[in-house]
Amino acid sequence: MTDTDMSTHPHEEMLLEVSGVLSSVDGVQDYLDRVVHAVRRIVTGCDEVGITLLVDGRASTAAYTTVTTLEIDAVQYQLDQGPCLEAARTQTEVIASLGEADERWPQFAQAVRSDGMRSLMAMPLVSDGDCVGALNLYGSAVQAFDRFEASVARVAATRAADAIVAVVRLDGAQRLAGQLEQAMASRAVIEQAKGALMAMRGIDEHAAFEWLRESSQRRNVKVRDLAEQVVAGVRGASGASNVTGVAEGSTG
């Protein structure tokens, strides 16, 4: 039996990871978090992922794998140039090396270079003619993305776009905007919890978020709520030992 026969095909694995129906905007954040981490794990050559949403014409990062992603996306919004904005505005896929980025978005390319990224890919989030943003992939290797990687990312972008457009039509853009604002307010405590886990477990930022995500699923609580528990435990004299014990234990 070949390796391909023994494991799920990347397209099928991606579809399984990003499947599901959103009944309201309340589930958007957890869903998008799942999407970006699935893309990073499954798409070969991908080191960072973000999802840009356009709500009432305003671009914002709705989900990201690490703070590096958030910083790169923020540069695009500030400069009003970059692959994710181009993909969203033109509804076309953008795949570029850093050399190409120098010509197309010179100021943005300079900022990305300082973060160690050499390859860029942005997939527009289009469903039934509506474009709600872009899925942004960054790779540290030169020419990290080819047609196959693009096809896998396209599966995620298409499914995410369908889910987002459907929930916007159900609940409205204003409710989605409000939900995204609440999510932004939650980022601080999630980043604090990730930092605590990184220090106690000796792991990187990606692994820290995976611990939060997997633990939240096992305990059936939102990632934000679990992050608050971790931070509160670290701050409390008695809770610190409890959290340390959990953080140093198995994630299974």
Side-chain angles (χ1 to χ4, degrees):
M1 182 177 290
T2 66
D3 291 341
T4 301
D5 294 329
M6 294 175 63
S7 60
T8 305
H9 192 278
H11 291 85
E12 297 174 348
E13 184 180 359
M14 182 65 74
L15 188 58
L16 288 172
E17 286 283 353
V18 302
S19 63
V21 178
L22 298 178
S23 58
S24 74
V25 297
D26 294 336
V28 168
Q29 188 60 55
D30 287 342
Y31 171 74
L32 295 183
D33 284 339
R34 188 168 83 243
V35 170
V36 295
H37 287 277
V39 170
R40 180 186 177 274
R41 185 174 65 254
I42 298 171
V43 176
T44 302
C46 182
D47 293 295
E48 302 292 350
V49 185
I51 288 181
T52 294
L53 290 188
L54 298 176
V55 181
D56 293 332
R58 180 183 177 185
S60 63
T61 300
Y64 58 95
T65 49
T66 68
V67 173
T68 298
T69 318
L70 195 61
E71 293 172 346
I72 294 174
D73 287 350
V75 170
Q76 296 190 69
Y77 310 149
Q78 181 180 3
L79 297 174
D80 197 33
Q81 64 171 233
C84 82
L85 295 179
E86 183 170 315
R89 289 167 175 170
T90 64
Q91 298 188 25
T92 57
E93 298 176 2
V94 176
I95 303 177
S97 66
L98 197 58
E100 294 171 301
D102 280 323
E103 297 179 3
R104 298 169 71 171
W105 321 287
Q107 292 175 289
F108 168 72
Q110 183 177 356
V112 172
R113 183 177 283 103
S114 66
D115 284 312
M117 297 302 140
R118 298 293 181 269
S119 298
L120 318 167
M121 179 160 63
M123 294 283 171
L125 300 177
V126 182
S127 177
D128 196 22
D130 290 339
C131 185
V132 291
L135 172 67
N136 316 312
L137 290 75
Y138 305 105
S140 58
V142 177
Q143 295 182 336
F145 309 121
D146 60 18
R147 291 183 179 180
F148 182 78
E149 275 73 50
S151 68
V152 178
R154 193 177 301 122
V155 171
T158 299
R159 180 62 192 91
D162 289 343
I164 295 167
V165 169
V167 82
V168 167
R169 290 177 178 175
L170 179 67
D171 281 355
Q174 290 302 316
R175 277 209 63 196
L176 176 60
Q179 188 69 18
L180 293 177
E181 287 182 3
Q182 291 181 22
M184 289 179 67
S186 302
R187 283 175 176 166
V189 69
I190 292 175
E191 294 302 326
Q192 289 175 355
K194 284 161 59 177
L197 291 168
M198 290 166 66
M200 288 185 287
R201 294 182 64 90
I203 56 179
D204 64 17
E205 190 174 351
H206 295 293
F209 186 86
E210 279 301 303
W211 185 93
L212 288 170
R213 186 182 65 83
E214 293 172 3
S215 297
S216 71
Q217 290 178 342
R218 288 198 309 273
R219 304 178 188 185
N220 195 29
V221 298
K222 292 183 177 181
V223 171
R224 179 187 64 245
D225 295 338
L226 180 60
E228 290 176 346
Q229 293 174 23
V230 171
V231 172
V234 171
R235 289 174 177 170
S238 60
S241 60
N242 293 335
V243 172
T244 301
V246 172
E248 293 178 348
S250 170
T251 59

